[in-house]
Structures are given as structure tokens and as C-alpha cells.
Amino acid sequence: MQYDFFAPQRIVFGWGRRVEVGELARDLGQRAFLISGSRTLEANGELAAVINACHQAGVDCQHVATITHEPIVADVDSAVAELQQLEATANDVLIAVGGGSAIDLAKACSAMLTNSDGDSVQDYLEGVGRGLKVAAAPLPLLAIPTTAGTGTEATKNAVISNFDPPFKKSLRSNLMVPKIVLVDPELGASMPPSTTAYTGMDAITQLIESYISARAKPIPQALCAHGLELAIPAIAAAVEEGTQREARERMAHAALLSGMAVANSGLGFAHGVAPALGVHLNVPHGLACAVMLPTALRVNRDVRLAEIAQLGRLFA
Ligand SMILES: [Zn+2]
């Protein structure tokens, strides 16, 4: 047996633990730059609380970008330009608070600030770029997910889209795994039911696809099995009763485990098709995964029968 295993350097998990953000940021950099997702975070005071906690820990913190859609090339290029103007360096830390979109934008910015051979992030994207690679260590990133789905807080890629020409591709490097992940499941309590359902099904699809992947490995498979044990009984309660603590904790933990699994074993058929549904038909990523999952399992049944049967027992 031979394998490598990548994971964030430190995982801080727990209900209410977002109050520790200041000290965590201080461990990573002298100044902090904040990238955020949904405007609800601004409206309900969560962003101000992050900035305050940083200041109290002696870390200057500036809010540089808000993103409410899956990031496109222009979003990355303009946020990078702003961070360059603010003279962000490897001595500073980026903090991402939000769903997959905010964390992916921050991951891409942190890599582009230290890898500047291209004119645009597009030059570095798989399949559509100029083949440039992320070779220098990105700025340290503190990722604080507010949805429980993509697991991008623990992966080594950022998904970047474009509409003309249409594509959805990854910026990928082993160096891009966030340094610290702070998962506070309480942040998910205000997520609307549809977002909870889509992101939850994204996590479940990732756990299944990573488990049955041809590149499956022992540590990620153990994480997947545990993640599915947590998520399957909890997703309905999380959707129907969003403030229920146990359901939110289970979904947040399952999403984190799915990210670590994906970073090490990859994905499958459903995730192969989901980006096309997203970029051509504007289907949210998690919904696209949920729609494709039954077909993906049927297509893979003969070649991964043993693995699918093992998972079947978890659902029994
Ligand atoms: Zn996914």
C-alpha cells in the first residue's frame, strides 16, 4: 500500500468557537484581509464580530470583497488587484467567511498573490489556461465555512467559472489547502432550507463518490464512511428545523470530512457532469450533484459493486 494524505494544518471545530478567530489569525499573519460571502453575514453583525476579534488580538483586519455567486475569472482578478494595492504579502493572512464561493475566491487570491507569472488567474486554470502552475506557497488562509457542503475549506483546489467562453475549472495545487479551518456549526443555523438541502447533498455526493473512486484510499474511505453515518440521518432535520444544533453539527462535520476525502481521493461521474449543468443552465452545484447521483451510482454499479454494497449497509 502507498499513499499521501493532505489535510489542513489545524482544524478548530465547535459550536460558538468563531469567537477564537482573532487569536487564530494572529498565529498566521500580521495583517488580515477578509473575503466574505452572503450579505446576511454583514447584516447580522458576523463580519463586524470577526473584524473586532482580530483587532482585539492585535491584528489589523480589512474587508476587501463580498461575493454572492460562484466566483468567475474577473472576480479573482479584481480582488487580487485590490489586495496588491493594499500590499498584501506572505506575512499577512487571508480570512474567508462564507460558503464555497467566498472560500474559493480567497483560495484563488491567496495563490495568485504569490504566483504572478500570468496576466490572469485563467492562465493557471486546468484545461483552459496556459499551463502555469502554482509553485510558490500562497498567503496563509483561515477558512470559516458558513454552509455545510462543498468542503472546500479542506481541499487543494478552487473552482473558477467563466461565461464567455463558458467553463467551470479548477485552480489546483497541493500548496492551496487552507492552513487553519474554523468550523462553527452555529454559523449555519440561519441558512435557508434550500441552501441547506443543496449543500448537504453536495457533501453526501462527495462522500459517496470519494468512497467508490478508483483512487480511493484507506484514510479518506474511513472519513467518508463516518461522514455518511453523520449526514444521512441528519440532513432532513437540518433542512426542516435549521436551528437544531445536533443536525447542524453533524452536517458541518460531514462536509469537512468530505473535503478531506475529496482532496485525497477525488470525485466521480456526478461531479464530472455538475459543472456543465452549472455553467450552461445555472443549476446550483449541490442541486446538480443531487440530480446526477442516482445515475452516477447506476453507471458505476458493475465496476465498483463491492464499494457500493459497503455503502448500502450504511443506508440500511
Ligand atoms: Zn461538490
Side-chain angles (χ1 to χ4, degrees):
M1 192 196 303
Q2 279 194 29
Y3 64 83
D4 288 19
F5 184 75
F6 292 90
Q9 226 167 55
R10 182 171 173 193
I11 292 168
V12 178
F13 187 97
W15 193 268
R17 291 194 71 182
R18 60 194 181 283
V19 295
E20 297 173 38
V21 62
E23 286 102 77
L24 296 172
R26 194 176 52 205
D27 285 350
L28 293 179
Q30 293 166 350
R31 295 184 300 162
F33 298 102
L34 181 60
I35 291 179
S36 65
S38 95
R39 301 202 186 280
T40 326
L41 291 166
E42 225 157 333
N44 64 15
E46 290 297 347
L47 281 194
V50 169
I51 293 168
N52 264 341
C54 286
H55 288 166
Q56 273 176 7
V59 178
D60 180 58
C61 181
Q62 294 186 57
H63 185 208
V64 289
T66 301
I67 182 146
T68 55
H69 52 262
E70 294 176 16
I72 60 172
V73 167
D75 294 320
V76 180
D77 290 346
S78 75
V80 168
E82 185 164 351
L83 284 159
Q84 281 168 337
Q85 262 192 349
L86 293 166
E87 297 176 352
T89 72
N91 294 324
D92 302 317
V93 51
L94 288 192
I95 303 178
V97 189
S101 301
I103 296 173
D104 275 358
L105 176 61
K107 282 164 91 174
C109 288
S110 71
M112 289 301 96
L113 283 164
T114 52
N115 293 270
S116 47
D117 291 339
D119 302 321
S120 159
V121 68
Q122 187 167 335
D123 294 335
Y124 290 82
L125 295 180
E126 290 177 349
V128 291
R130 284 165 46 204
L132 297 183
K133 299 269 182 249
V134 173
L139 262 67
L141 176 62
L142 167 54
I144 309 174
T146 57
T147 59
T150 66
T152 188
E153 64 271 19
T155 69
K156 47 192 174 186
N157 67 308
V159 179
I160 309 298
S161 306
N162 207 35
F163 293 108
D164 185 24
F167 62 73
K168 195 165 188 174
K169 294 287 179 187
S170 273
L171 174 68
R172 193 185 308 271
S173 161
N174 291 340
L175 301 168
M176 283 173 59
V177 181
K179 281 280 178 299
I180 300 182
V181 177
L182 170 58
V183 184
D184 181 343
E186 193 176 14
L187 284 168
S190 56
M191 216 189 330
S194 60
T195 312
T196 304
Y198 298 164
T199 54
M201 279 310 298
D202 183 19
I204 287 175
T205 306
Q206 291 178 172
L207 291 163
I208 292 174
E209 293 208 297
S210 181
Y211 189 93
I212 68 171
S213 160
R215 294 163 51 207
K217 300 176 187 79
I219 296 175
Q221 273 193 325
L223 299 178
C224 290
H226 183 52
L228 288 166
E229 280 169 351
L230 292 171
I232 292 163
I235 185 167
V239 172
E240 284 158 17
E241 203 186 326
T243 55
Q244 204 204 94
R245 177 168 170 169
E246 194 197 342
R248 287 295 182 194
E249 284 179 340
R250 280 170 167 259
M251 294 310 297
H253 201 206
L256 171 68
L257 298 182
S258 84
M260 284 191 275
V262 166
N264 292 283
S265 298
L267 290 160
F269 179 100
H271 271 82
V273 178
L277 294 176
V279 79
H280 292 289
L281 300 169
N282 217 13
V283 181
H285 173 72
L287 177 59
C289 291
V291 167
M292 290 312 303
L293 181 60
T295 307
L297 286 172
R298 265 197 304 280
V299 168
N300 282 298
R301 191 167 54 189
D302 290 341
V303 286
R304 304 302 281 171
L305 188 61
E307 289 76 10
I308 292 173
Q310 285 154 11
L311 288 184
R313 281 176 214 124
L314 296 174
F315 288 81

